[in-house]
Structures are given as C-alpha cells and as structure tokens.
C-alpha cells in the first residue's frame, strides 16, 4: 500500500466502500476493478481492471499484486487485457493510468503497455475522490 491511498492501509470501512464502488461500476457501467486469479493455482493474487478516472471522462486501468507474485509479468498481462478491453470491446479512443510518482515498478508496467507520461496532476485537477493525491498521468490513444 506504500503507493496507494497515501501509503495508508485501507480500513474495513474503506474496503467495504471500495467493493461497493466496484459492484456499482460492474452493474451500472459493465466494467470494474476485479479479482486477479492465478490460473495455475486458482488463488486470488491481486486486483486489476478498469474504472472511470474522476471527472475526466477517461477510463483508468490499474494493477495491484500480492508481493509473492511480483516479477512474473502478471500485472503487465492483466493490464494489457484491461487495455484491450477498453479499446476493442468498449470502443474507447484513450486509456490512462495514474501512478504515485515514486512507484517505479508500476510506471514500468504502464510503459511496457505503451502508455506514455503526460503530466503530473493533483486529484483535484482530475476530479478524483481523493483531491489531495499527486500522481503521474500516463496515457495512450489509438
Ligand atoms: C506495481 C506492481 C503490480 C508491479 O509488479 P511487477 O511484478 O513489477 O509487474 P509485472 O507483474 O508486470 O512483472 C514485470 C516484471 O517481471 C519480470 N518478468 C519476469 N517474467 C516475466 C514475463 N513472463 N513477462 C513479463 N515480465 C516478466 C519483468 O522483467 C518485470 O521486471 P522489471 O520491471 O524489474 O523489469 C507491484 O509492484 C504491486 O502490486 N505493487 C503494489 C500495488 C501498486 O503499487 N499498484 C500500482 C498502483 S498505480
């Protein structure tokens, strides 16, 4: 959680709110951030998917993995699937990712997927529910 939620683990209430938000996105929009299941073991090893980015109108793709499965390419594989879903299934022309500036491993995932650094932005500028965050915005257009 070092680079997520201002470095603070989510409280039980925040986890409930996050799950409710994703359930709402799944039913109202047809997509969400979801469980990432390792095929070989059937275990949940992370979270990946897509969600609207604040009030920008863009769709954000994201990846969180359990530390024990870092370094295997899973985030790149899942992020690539999310990117394809945004472009090919949802027919969007643009996809973005927001990353805490010091989070180098996550930036490498974004770059491997072809996204490029656009600018540093605050949550407030993006209409994000956390106005105080400062993130690097990566984007890719078809
Ligand atoms: C961000 C995060 C998902 C990156 O994890 P990761 O394991 O580095 O990313 P991937 O799963 O794509 O694996 C890629 C790494 O595995 C290596 N790798 C090994 N086998 C591979 C394969 N078959 N295919 C692709 N990459 C492979 C790559 O070389 C790469 O290492 P490198 O970046 O040092 O060159 C992880 O650090 C994390 O979950 N952090 C906590 C949550 C978080 O910060 N999420 C992002 C919020 S913006």
């Amino acid at each position: 959680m070092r680079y997520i939620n201002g470095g603070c683990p989510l409280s039980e209430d925040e986890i409930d709110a996050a799950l409710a938000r994703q359930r709402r996105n799944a039913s109202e929009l047809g997509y969400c951030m979801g469980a990432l299941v390792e095929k070989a073991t059937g275990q949940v090893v992370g979270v990946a998917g897509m969600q609207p980015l604040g009030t920008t109108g863009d769709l954000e793709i994201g990846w969180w993995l359990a530390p024990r499965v870092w370094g295997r390419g899973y985030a790149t594989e899942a992020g690539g699937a999310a990117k394809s879903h945004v472009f090919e299934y949802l027919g969007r022309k643009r996809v973005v990712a927001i990353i805490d500036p010091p989070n180098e491993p996550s930036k490498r995932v974004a770059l491997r997927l072809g996204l490029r650094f656009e600018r540093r932005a605050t949550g407030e500028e993006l209409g994000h529910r956390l106005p105080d965050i400062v993130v690097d915005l990566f984007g890719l257009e078809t």
Side-chain angles (χ1 to χ4, degrees):
M1 295 302 290
R2 183 182 306 163
Y3 302 123
I4 296 170
N5 201 41
C8 299
L10 299 176
S11 67
E12 292 293 325
D13 285 349
E14 286 171 323
I15 290 170
D16 287 346
L19 291 174
R21 194 164 55 246
Q22 298 309 331
R23 265 197 300 274
R24 198 166 54 243
N25 284 351
S27 68
E28 291 178 5
L29 304 173
Y31 53 80
C32 65
M33 298 289 291
L36 187 60
V37 178
E38 186 179 41
K39 285 184 183 170
T41 61
Q43 289 182 345
V44 174
V45 294
V47 172
M50 68 217 71
Q51 58 188 341
L53 175 59
T55 55
T56 62
D58 288 332
L59 283 190
E60 168 200 356
I61 54 175
W63 36 79
W64 305 10
L65 295 179
R68 67 188 159 78
V69 298
W70 289 358
R72 299 186 192 178
Y74 288 176
T76 303
E77 183 180 343
K83 181 185 85 171
S84 299
H85 191 83
V86 170
F87 283 148
E88 291 159 27
Y89 187 79
L90 299 175
R92 296 294 197 105
K93 300 288 179 218
R94 176 171 161 78
V95 70
V96 300
I98 55 169
I99 303 176
D100 192 9
N103 192 349
E104 296 298 337
S106 189
K107 289 182 183 179
R108 286 199 293 275
V109 174
L111 292 171
R112 273 194 293 271
L113 295 176
L115 279 71
R116 291 292 167 256
F117 173 77
E118 294 183 349
R119 66 189 171 93
R120 191 156 290 181
T122 63
E124 186 172 12
E125 287 164 350
L126 301 171
H128 195 274
R129 69 194 160 74
L130 302 174
D132 295 334
I133 57 170
V134 176
V135 294
D136 282 350
L137 178 69
F138 287 73
L140 175 66
E141 267 134 57
T142 48

